[in-house]
Amino acid sequence: MKRLSVEICVCTKCVMNGAMDIIEAVEGLKKLKTQLRLNSQVDIVTRSFCSGADVCPLVCVNGERMEHSNSETVMAKIISLTSKDVK
Amino acid sequence: MRGIYTPVTQIRRQVFVEIAKAAFEGAPAATLEEIPYRIIPGEVPTYRDSVFKERAIIGERVRLGLGLPVRGAGEQGSITGDLDLARLNEKFYEGPLVNVIPFACNACEEKAYMVTDQCQGCLAHPCVSVCPVKAISIVNGRSQIDKSKCIKCGRCKDACPYSAIVKAERPCAAACGVDAIESDYLGRASINHDKCVSCGQCLVSCPFAAIADKSQIFQLVEALKAPGEVIAAIAPSFVGQFGPMATPERVKKALLDLGFSGVYEVAIGADLGAVEEAHHYAHKVATGEEPYFATSCCPSWSVMAKRDFPTVAPYVSSALTPMVATARIVKKEHPDAQVVFVGPCAAKKLEAARRSVRSDVDFVITFEELMGMFVAKGIEFGENEPVEMTDATSGGRGYAVAGGVADAIGNCIRELYPELEVKIDRAEGLKNCKKMLALAKAGKRNGYLMEGMACPGGCVAGAGTILPIPKAATAVKQFQEAAKEKSPTQSAYHEADE
């Protein structure tokens, strides 16, 4: 099974701007593994890496930076990457 | 809505950051006037039909954030015209605490039953059969409700086999456990302040960001900048609220970095209260001198219980709430210090404004407001050195979650009076609390210890929290396990209290 790395910045500003809710949304996605036909293991890493820049909340999915992200965009990104794998 | 990060959450938090930033920088009133333009830049509206309206609403949020009264669309004046009233380094509070910004309200229809597209126009149409006032008829093959006849009993909804009839209710009114949401002359929500207990559930439930409570951030920052001690008393539900990097020890350091001269756990006061209430149960309730006993640490619950159930009122605990007990310990050790309660709760702002508490607690801010201050000051948890936090016991820390108060008191009773059998009932959410109180009033809770929590989930679900509720409850559990002493009877503060 492939692995998908989701790094979520949890600096003060990112947390205030919804980083914890993004974590919750990604964890919730794992529970929809069957419905979404996810064939990758989603690894969530939390650390502070946005360096206080005006990009909060910052998320990296498989190394790709997603600035000003939210639950919606991060979930869509994960699903698009895993659905490519299904094909 | 509660526990989901939405644009409403974003706006609320942005306002806190901007006010805190302006206060820390000692910015002039003109800077505060710019806040709506910083939060809503450009000429194109983002959330509503007009960018001017969006900014005007932010302007009223700024006013409430400064502690100033909210205004209607017909009132003329700049945001900070009366700022001098609020530019203090001491508590500034004028009721009401929770306010509807009238022109932000969507004027959602009050409770109504509606037929959706799911209606199949079925042969049986049980909705028509069960309606006691003949308000439902079949029009063009589908059910139709005559609103002028409908008495909103909900029987049609229950009878529909396709779940095609829905109950529409204002989110603010649905969240309110004391029916305090009414309508103004334009059909917009208005709060009946005689009924409101300031739990804050309406403000986190309004999808149009039309409800907000007053804040004391601005005055608190002024106090932090002024000479003199300012000490934080932090409620046990704080763990995990500021993200995974913010361990309890790092939060303590962050508060010191923010300018506080000391930090106390409010769970200390919970420890003292749990033991006092255990003795009370044993001496009064178990002996039959009093019929039952209700906890008092949640201000919304205790205000509602005392006001709406006068026969129950004498049996609501008279022990100091954890906030007040802790504040008194702080004032005893630091007589000249200002005490700031940092917690999850809007209602604590009102409790602190009571005449009997005013001299104990100088400011109350929520975790969300504190987060705004951390961001404004650029405080990062990963960079600071942790400071030990070992004040309270596991029992006291457990007050943060629903059931935790009764657990702590119950365990103290079992420990101190092993011969006694403890009967416990508890309720979360004011509607459920009312049901429990009605049972007590009817004599069906005699011999019981009753715990009431206005917020479903307990303090971790308060209106001023940041973390999703299940995660917060887990974090509290871990914090409880980390406590050196397990039982409130082991608290070192009992001696100090005597």
Side-chain angles (χ1 to χ4, degrees):
Chain A
M1 186 181 274
K2 287 189 176 181
R3 297 177 92 97
L4 195 75
S5 157
V6 181
E7 290 177 276
I8 301 167
C9 179
V10 286
C11 73
T12 313
K13 206 171 168 187
C14 285
V15 169
M16 195 199 72
N17 283 303
M20 298 307 291
D21 299 79
I22 297 174
I23 296 172
E24 188 88 342
V26 177
E27 283 173 353
L29 216 50
K30 289 182 184 176
K31 293 174 191 157
L32 299 174
K33 214 167 181 171
T34 316
Q35 292 93 324
L36 294 167
R37 294 195 296 152
L38 294 180
N39 69 345
S40 298
Q41 186 179 321
V42 179
D43 297 323
I44 302 171
V45 180
T46 56
R47 61 188 181 92
S48 177
F49 60 94
C50 79
S51 315
D54 189 21
V55 292
C56 303
L58 179 63
V59 174
C60 282
V61 179
N62 269 1
E64 188 180 329
R65 273 169 76 94
M66 297 178 69
E67 298 180 357
H68 302 293
S69 59
N70 56 38
S71 307
E72 205 181 316
T73 53
V74 174
M75 284 193 292
K77 184 74 186 172
I78 293 170
I79 291 167
S80 73
L81 287 174
T82 52
S83 64
K84 274 179 196 166
D85 290 337
V86 170
K87 286 171 195 169
Chain B
M1 278 262 304
R2 179 72 192 86
I4 302 171
Y5 186 86
T6 66
V8 173
T9 327
Q10 187 186 6
I11 288 169
R12 193 169 61 232
R13 293 180 187 171
Q14 276 178 303
V15 170
F16 296 148
V17 175
E18 293 292 343
I19 292 175
K21 212 180 269 178
F24 276 120
E25 289 167 2
T31 309
L32 293 163
E33 294 283 345
E34 290 166 8
I35 293 176
Y37 290 84
R38 279 202 290 275
I39 295 179
I40 310 283
E43 296 185 81
V44 181
T46 314
Y47 309 109
R48 302 176 196 258
D49 54 346
S50 153
V51 76
F52 301 106
K53 186 175 177 182
E54 287 180 349
R55 288 198 191 112
I57 292 166
I58 301 288
E60 290 312 303
R61 286 194 156 264
V62 171
R63 284 183 61 79
L64 290 166
L66 294 168
L68 295 168
V70 71
R71 302 169 305 182
E75 290 170 77
Q76 189 191 358
S78 63
I79 296 170
T80 55
D82 46 357
L83 182 63
D84 287 346
L85 289 173
R87 204 184 269 283
L88 301 166
N89 59 7
E90 58 192 50
K91 181 158 55 194
F92 167 67
Y93 175 72
E94 268 181 31
L97 176 67
V98 182
N99 297 267
V100 178
I101 302 166
F103 54 92
C105 179
N106 186 51
C108 310
E109 192 178 353
E110 290 182 46
K111 188 174 144 186
Y113 285 89
M114 291 189 276
V115 181
T116 66
D117 288 348
Q118 187 66 19
C119 177
Q120 307 294 308
C122 64
L123 186 67
H125 48 69
C127 53
V128 176
S129 309
V130 298
C131 179
V133 291
K134 294 188 177 175
I136 305 188
S137 52
I138 304 295
V139 179
N140 296 330
R142 285 182 51 177
S143 290
Q144 196 174 73
I145 300 174
D146 181 343
K147 285 188 181 175
S148 65
K149 288 184 183 172
C150 178
I151 56 166
K152 298 165 188 174
C153 65
R155 284 189 183 180
C156 54
K157 176 184 176 288
D158 297 339
C160 178
Y162 295 100
S163 304
I165 299 178
V166 294
K167 178 184 172 186
E169 199 174 3
R170 288 175 164 179
C172 54
C176 179
V178 290
D179 299 325
I181 304 286
E182 298 176 353
S183 294
D184 70 5
Y185 74 109
L186 289 174
R188 303 171 301 193
S190 69
I191 298 171
N192 181 337
H193 294 287
D194 293 331
K195 288 184 178 178
C196 174
V197 290
S198 301
C199 67
Q201 288 300 309
C202 58
L203 72 90
V204 287
S205 301
C206 173
F208 280 88
I211 308 180
D213 62 339
K214 287 180 180 163
S215 170
Q216 297 164 0
I217 300 183
F218 192 69
Q219 295 79 13
L220 171 58
V221 174
E222 293 291 330
L224 288 170
K225 284 159 56 184
E229 280 185 300
V230 182
I231 292 175
I234 190 160
S237 45
F238 80 96
V239 277
Q241 292 291 333
F242 307 103
M245 321 269 288
T247 60
E249 294 76 14
R250 287 187 194 276
V251 172
K252 186 170 180 176
K253 181 65 170 67
L255 284 163
L256 298 172
D257 290 346
L258 207 55
F260 287 96
S261 37
V263 181
Y264 284 68
E265 282 187 63
V266 170
I268 296 168
D271 285 332
L272 301 181
V275 174
E276 186 181 338
E277 288 173 344
H279 288 307
H280 185 94
Y281 181 88
H283 296 146
K284 301 283 183 183
V285 182
T287 56
E289 195 179 325
E290 291 181 4
Y292 39 73
F293 172 65
T295 58
S296 66
C297 49
C298 170
S300 294
W301 139 264
S302 68
V303 166
M304 188 268 287
K306 287 177 188 169
R307 187 194 62 196
D308 297 348
F309 293 84
T311 55
V312 177
Y315 310 114
V316 175
S317 174
S318 57
L320 297 177
T321 64
M323 174 180 82
V324 178
T326 309
R328 289 197 181 168
I329 289 170
V330 177
K331 291 263 176 173
K332 200 171 169 186
E333 294 179 4
H334 306 267
D336 299 323
Q338 286 181 300
V339 176
V340 183
F341 174 79
V342 182
C345 182
K348 285 285 178 191
K349 294 177 183 176
L350 216 56
E351 185 189 338
R354 282 183 206 155
R355 207 174 306 151
S356 57
V357 180
R358 225 175 273 169
S359 56
D360 300 313
V361 181
D362 297 275
F363 298 100
V364 174
I365 56 162
T366 64
F367 298 139
E368 228 180 11
E369 291 162 348
L370 177 63
M371 191 63 160
M373 291 170 71
F374 285 146
V375 171
K377 195 85 170 151
I379 287 174
E380 285 301 334
F381 293 98
E383 293 165 4
N384 67 13
E385 283 299 314
V387 180
E388 201 180 33
M389 196 175 227
T390 53
D391 302 338
T393 74
S394 172
R397 288 175 176 177
Y399 267 49
V401 289
V405 180
D407 272 355
I409 302 168
N411 289 338
C412 287
I413 297 169
R414 289 181 202 103
E415 186 186 331
L416 297 166
Y417 304 95
E419 72 286 0
L420 290 184
E421 187 202 343
V422 195
K423 289 197 269 187
I424 291 173
D425 193 9
R426 62 181 192 84
E428 308 164 32
L430 287 173
K431 282 177 187 157
N432 292 327
C433 288
K434 270 184 171 175
K435 288 178 192 163
M436 183 171 72
L437 289 167
L439 289 172
K441 191 180 164 188
K444 292 179 179 169
R445 285 294 174 269
N446 285 352
Y448 274 78
L449 158 66
M450 294 186 289
E451 176 202 294
M453 290 279 184
C455 298
C459 301
V460 289
T465 55
I466 301 162
L467 195 62
I469 301 160
K471 272 202 160 63
T474 307
V476 169
K477 189 92 189 145
Q478 287 166 352
F479 191 43
Q480 280 186 271
E481 283 163 9
K484 282 183 185 160
E485 309 294 351
K486 300 301 167 201
S487 168
T489 57
Q490 297 167 304
S491 168
Y493 283 88
H494 286 298
E495 287 170 19
D497 192 41
E498 280 155 14

